[in-house]
Amino acid sequence: MRTSQNKSNLTLTQMVDRILASGKLARREHLILTSAILSNEKISEDERYQINRIFDYIQIGRLKFID
């Protein structure tokens, strides 16, 4: 069980890195990140910070939504 949690956290980190590098955010990715923040899923403080950074970038226009 712990391995699957680590695997999903790795995927979350990779997603955040890709979004920040490309400057583009798919609506599906936005839903995944929002769910990660709002759910009881255990995410690290660093992951929480990175996700919040993405949300901040959306608000100031540094990221574009794509479909």
Side-chain angles (χ1 to χ4, degrees), residues 7-42:
K7 185 181 270 189
S8 67
N9 287 343
L10 180 61
T11 302
L12 185 65
T13 301
Q14 289 173 336
M15 182 187 309
V16 167
D17 290 343
R18 190 210 57 77
I19 292 166
L20 293 174
S22 71
K24 297 176 183 173
L25 175 68
R27 298 208 183 266
R28 181 177 181 278
E29 293 168 329
H30 182 266
L31 180 61
I32 291 168
L33 296 176
T34 302
S35 295
I37 288 286
L38 297 176
S39 72
N40 290 330
E41 180 181 333
K42 296 191 186 229

Side-chain angles (χ1 to χ4, degrees), residues 22-62:
S22 71
K24 297 176 183 173
L25 175 68
R27 298 208 183 266
R28 181 177 181 278
E29 293 168 329
H30 182 266
L31 180 61
I32 291 168
L33 296 176
T34 302
S35 295
I37 288 286
L38 297 176
S39 72
N40 290 330
E41 180 181 333
K42 296 191 186 229
I43 59 176
S44 70
E45 285 299 313
D46 185 53
E47 289 167 330
R48 186 175 300 278
Y49 170 80
Q50 292 297 328
I51 293 170
N52 283 328
R53 193 167 128 197
I54 287 177
F55 294 153
D56 291 342
Y57 281 10
I58 292 168
Q59 288 182 335
I60 63 173
R62 288 187 66 183

